[in-house]
Amino acid sequence: MTKNFIPYGQQWIDEDDIREVVEVLRSNYLTTGPKIEEFEKKFATYVGAKYAVALANGTAALHAACFAAGIGEGDEVITTPMTFAASANCILYQGATPVFADIDPNTYNIDPADIRRKITQKTKAIIPVDFTGQPVLIDEIMAIANEHNLIVIQDAAHSLGADYKGRKIGSIAHMTEFSLHPVKHITTGEGGVITTDDKSLYNKLKLFRTHGITRDSELLHNKEEGPWYYEQLELGYNYRITDIQCALGISQLRKLDDFILRRRAIIKRYNEALNRLEGVVIPYQEQNTNSSWHLYIIKLELEKLKANRRAIFDALRAQNIGVNVHYIPVYYFPYYQQMGYTKGLCPTAEKLYESIITIPLFPKMSDTDIEYVINVVSKVINYYLK
């Protein structure tokens, strides 16, 4: 057994990050200060978007995007079941109805053909998710949206730094959401970002994170009051991010490309070793996409194994490998079942869920960690081969 538990994901914080945060702690602004705008501008530049709005977390960012898109009661929004619950919950927050489209059996991303099948007169938007860091077929999805006058909110919580046909994710959809949770590519502790090229959406996003309140003279109805004056224009939320978090984000952003290079080096080694392992299918990569590899998921060929997924999961955990499963189809949850969702909606996603395991992947993994994971996965799978 390895001495230390190897989680499936983990942040990498160094002394540069700590210095940036300490500098803010010693400054006059802990929140609503200059570091937020600095981080937003640098983030927007990195992904190639005109605007970025930083919020308290990725879920808040998705909620803000749904608000900015004008999603409300009576609307339907199409998304994938193979995601964290936030991708669907944000639709419910606005009083709308999530509609789940099935996935492509190779990429595990939402299937554009099923998106088309699920569009109705009530459809308002599409929230495709870049599962594991591999971009969805965003050109096809944008074309579908343009045909039906729909908004696309690309959930890129997994894909910061990825690109599609040479364009960075964050510069293509009407709005793109990123997560800055510690297991993601960079972290602000908790945090999220929405990028867009649309100034009207940008203004709505900024309003939403601050109670719907603004001091912006361009937006005020009464422009005659003094410098103390502000107005509430919408019913927003307190979804602000702090200068402390954004200082960490600025420091992390400088290292993002190095983090991604390390992730890709780990993937190369995993692929070389596990592609030869009978009983396992390694991740498929779509042409013209360049994943930023948030997760590495192996699919078990259960028909070749004399054990189910649970037994293999437990065997790997027993050897201190922090495997996980991403994801339980959202509509399996009791909350969604109580609303009338039932199993059978997305057969490909449901079948996939039964056979996947996420193995560790994060830049701070040592070469020894990587080889240990490969060796244990290989031994466990070979032990259970028929």
Side-chain angles (χ1 to χ4, degrees):
M1 181 178 288
T2 186
K3 186 185 350 184
N4 298 316
F5 180 78
I6 305 173
Y8 84 86
Q10 189 179 60
Q11 74 277 7
W12 190 344
I13 302 296
D14 64 18
E15 291 302 318
D16 290 336
D17 299 320
I18 294 167
R19 278 193 295 270
E20 290 277 2
V21 170
V22 169
E23 184 178 324
V24 168
L25 290 172
R26 289 175 172 154
S27 75
N28 293 326
Y29 290 95
L30 298 186
T31 190
T32 64
K35 284 293 179 184
I36 298 168
E37 185 176 357
E38 181 185 347
F39 176 58
E40 289 172 336
K41 286 181 176 178
K42 288 181 175 177
F43 196 100
T45 297
Y46 180 86
V47 302
K50 288 183 181 178
Y51 309 107
V53 178
L55 298 100
N57 51 64
T59 304
L62 283 169
H63 188 188
C66 287
F67 166 82
I71 295 165
E73 288 188 20
D75 292 332
E76 294 178 350
V77 180
I78 298 171
T79 191
T80 173
M82 291 303 293
T83 185
F84 185 61
S87 307
N89 288 350
C90 62
I91 302 164
L92 296 175
Y93 297 156
Q94 288 299 107
T97 301
V99 174
F100 295 101
D102 213 343
I103 61 170
D104 180 276
N106 295 315
T107 65
Y108 315 151
N109 275 331
I110 195 168
D111 181 357
D114 206 37
I115 291 175
R116 283 189 180 277
R117 286 190 285 268
K118 299 295 172 67
I119 292 173
T120 72
Q121 292 297 317
K122 295 181 179 181
T123 306
K124 179 80 173 186
I126 307 167
I127 303 180
V129 178
D130 297 335
F131 186 60
T132 74
Q134 176 166 211
V136 294
L137 297 176
I138 190 62
D139 280 357
E140 289 187 35
I141 293 170
M142 291 298 291
I144 294 168
N146 290 336
E147 287 174 29
H148 296 273
N149 195 30
L150 306 176
I151 291 279
V152 176
I153 302 166
Q154 188 168 6
D155 184 338
H158 293 187
S159 60
L160 178 58
D163 57 79
Y164 177 82
K165 295 184 179 178
R167 296 180 65 186
K168 276 277 194 292
I169 297 303
S171 64
I172 304 171
H174 298 113
M175 289 178 279
T176 306
E177 175 268 342
F178 298 92
S179 170
L180 305 175
H181 183 274
V183 297
K184 301 303 197 307
H185 295 84
I186 63 171
T187 188
T188 54
E190 286 280 5
V193 176
I194 292 283
T195 60
T196 185
D197 285 343
D198 186 314
K199 189 171 184 182
S200 174
L201 293 173
Y202 170 64
N203 286 333
K204 290 175 182 177
L205 292 163
K206 287 199 300 178
L207 272 177
F208 194 69
R209 75 172 173 190
T210 55
H211 302 277
I213 289 173
T214 185
R215 296 178 183 271
D216 188 336
S217 60
E218 290 184 17
L219 302 178
L220 295 176
H221 290 74
N222 183 346
K223 302 181 188 299
E224 305 303 320
E225 296 283 345
W228 67 86
Y229 187 69
Y230 57 86
E231 291 177 346
Q232 181 178 341
L233 306 180
E234 301 282 358
L235 182 60
Y237 287 71
N238 181 358
Y239 279 163
R240 294 191 301 261
I241 197 169
T242 68
D243 285 60
I244 301 166
Q245 292 167 286
C246 287
L248 177 56
I250 290 165
S251 180
Q252 289 265 297
L253 196 56
R254 289 195 290 264
K255 293 170 281 196
L256 174 56
D257 287 341
D258 289 338
F259 287 164
I260 292 172
L261 283 174
R262 178 58 178 166
R263 285 178 178 272
R264 288 174 177 158
I266 295 168
I267 293 309
K268 185 173 184 293
R269 179 67 191 117
Y270 274 170
N271 285 346
E272 289 170 351
L274 300 180
N275 193 37
R276 302 191 298 265
L277 184 61
E278 190 177 357
V280 162
V281 177
I282 66 170
Y284 170 86
Q285 286 296 285
E286 187 71 50
Q287 289 186 348
N288 299 316
T289 69
N290 199 9
S291 178
S292 53
W293 289 105
H294 166 50
L295 299 172
Y296 190 91
I297 290 176
I298 57 173
K299 182 169 74 170
L300 304 175
E301 295 180 297
L302 292 172
E303 69 279 5
K304 297 181 180 179
L305 302 171
K306 54 188 178 185
N308 59 19
R309 193 253 309 270
R310 175 62 189 270
I312 293 169
F313 183 98
D314 288 347
L316 294 171
R317 276 284 180 103
Q319 295 299 312
N320 266 353
I321 296 178
V323 290
N324 211 322
V325 173
H326 296 92
Y327 287 98
I328 304 166
V330 173
Y331 57 78
Y332 276 22
F333 298 137
Y335 185 83
Y336 280 81
Q337 297 273 305
Q338 290 163 15
M339 288 190 291
Y341 293 89
T342 58
K343 293 183 179 181
L345 290 175
C346 299
T348 306
E350 294 177 19
K351 184 178 179 182
L352 177 72
Y353 164 63
E354 299 298 331
S355 62
I356 51 176
I357 293 179
T358 304
I359 65 174
L361 171 61
F362 52 95
K364 207 172 185 180
M365 287 181 76
S366 68
D367 290 346
T368 301
D369 290 337
I370 297 162
E371 295 306 318
Y372 180 81
V373 171
I374 290 168
N375 289 336
V376 172
V377 169
S378 299
K379 286 178 181 177
V380 168
I381 296 298
N382 282 327
Y383 178 80
Y384 284 115
L385 276 176
K386 289 181 179 176

